[in-house]
Amino acid sequence: MREASTQYAKGPAGFYDFEDDEQYLASPLKIVDCGDADILQGDLDYSFQSIEYAVRKIIENGTIPIIMGGDHSITIPVGRALESVGEKVSIIQFDAHLDWTDHVGPQSYGNGSPMRRLSEMDHIDKMVQIGLRGIGSGKRSDYMDAKNYGSQLISAREAHEIGVEGVLKKIPKADKYFISFDIDGYDMSIAPGVASPYPGGLFYDQVMDIFKGICKMGKIVGIDMVEVAPNTILPALQ
Ligand SMILES: [Mn+2]
């Protein structure tokens, strides 16, 4: 992902977008690659602490962290670091899956549980989940718990039906937003290289328009993008 992104790293002039009539990525805007968080295979606590430490430092410097995973478990330490924002943060999650499972077997900090773990943090405010669909997304009780917490649950099908404006209306009002983007929220036709590809998902322009709408609603204090896993593309899709 980082290597691919360098094709847009061509200096301070940025790029003209004719559809938006905007010069994107131009100076004084600066994107800095901060390298990897130190991950120790087999030591979840150490790895999570490394991620949290790095994200806190970036926030404390007054900048916006954009974190590339990793699976969706990384949103747990990233969520802890959002305490450094100093205000409540509302979560906008794009995902085929709810990710509200309390635990999968003995694992409470895996990629099925990040939103449940975030909901337990005092500095995390309301949530919205966009792109939900398919089987294996969570138990009925997980959906009930998410709704009782105050989460807005928007299936991919509903997002298509109500359109971008309809989705934006369902996003809770907040001053600060964190966007957690699991790329399996996208339809598998445009993002097959994920751990759990599933049809019936969101499309690129649709998501970009929702992003632009969110930018007008409040300040985005961080973004993560997770579950990019080209090596796990199902053999039939290669
Ligand atoms: Mn996820």
Side-chain angles (χ1 to χ4, degrees), residues 72 93-99 111-112 114-115 182 184 226-227:
H72 218 156
Q93 175 196 8
F94 292 86
D95 205 319
H97 310 99
L98 187 65
D99 293 352
N111 65 350
M115 295 304 141
D182 183 325
D184 67 29
V226 297
E227 301 281 343

Side-chain angles (χ1 to χ4, degrees), residues 5-16 23-31:
S5 74
T6 58
Q7 68 172 304
Y8 295 107
K10 287 183 180 164
F15 293 83
Y16 177 67
Q23 196 77 11
Y24 285 119
L25 299 174
S27 177
L29 185 74
K30 208 162 142 190
I31 296 177

Side-chain angles (χ1 to χ4, degrees), residues 19-228:
E19 282 184 289
D20 292 353
D21 193 22
E22 285 259 8
Q23 196 77 11
Y24 285 119
L25 299 174
S27 177
L29 185 74
K30 208 162 142 190
I31 296 177
V32 177
D33 187 333
C34 296
D36 293 330
D38 196 28
I39 299 303
L40 191 56
Q41 296 293 335
D43 193 334
L44 189 70
D45 284 343
Y46 177 87
S47 302
F48 274 19
Q49 280 166 27
S50 296
I51 296 168
E52 180 182 344
Y53 176 83
V55 176
R56 278 186 187 271
K57 287 286 170 200
I58 293 168
I59 294 170
E60 285 162 11
N61 273 306
T63 48
I64 301 171
I66 297 173
I67 306 102
M68 297 186 276
D71 71 27
H72 218 156
S73 67
I74 67 151
T75 306
I76 299 169
V78 169
R80 289 174 183 158
L82 291 177
E83 189 188 21
S84 293
V85 171
E87 286 176 55
K88 286 216 169 202
V89 178
S90 187
I91 307 294
I92 301 170
Q93 175 196 8
F94 292 86
D95 205 319
H97 310 99
L98 187 65
D99 293 352
W100 261 78
T101 303
D102 184 56
H103 57 92
V104 177
Q107 173 59 282
S108 304
Y109 298 93
N111 65 350
S113 308
M115 295 304 141
R116 167 84 66 171
R117 297 286 86 84
L118 260 62
S119 76
E120 295 162 350
M121 300 175 193
D122 289 339
H123 56 280
I124 299 298
D125 208 356
K126 302 178 197 90
M127 293 188 194
V128 57
Q129 272 89 18
I130 307 166
L132 301 169
R133 65 193 186 277
I135 52 176
S137 182
K139 298 189 290 291
R140 189 166 193 278
S141 57
D142 296 332
Y143 282 92
M144 297 314 289
D145 290 348
K147 279 188 184 171
N148 289 335
Y149 175 80
S151 267
Q152 287 287 331
L153 309 182
I154 307 173
S155 69
R157 187 190 294 264
E158 185 185 357
H160 292 312
E161 280 168 9
I162 63 180
V164 169
E165 287 305 318
V167 170
L168 291 172
K169 275 193 198 119
K170 294 192 92 169
I171 293 176
K173 300 274 172 291
D175 292 331
K176 305 274 191 279
Y177 292 108
F178 178 81
I179 296 176
S180 187
F181 200 100
D182 183 325
I183 69 153
D184 67 29
Y186 275 137
D187 189 75
M188 66 188 284
S189 62
I190 61 167
V194 299
S196 314
Y198 212 88
L202 305 170
F203 290 104
Y204 183 77
D205 287 339
Q206 181 184 18
V207 169
M208 284 305 112
D209 288 345
I210 295 170
F211 262 57
K212 285 175 188 169
I214 296 165
C215 292
K216 290 179 190 146
M217 292 172 63
K219 182 172 164 42
I220 294 173
V221 297
I223 301 170
D224 67 20
M225 181 164 248
V226 297
E227 301 281 343
V228 177

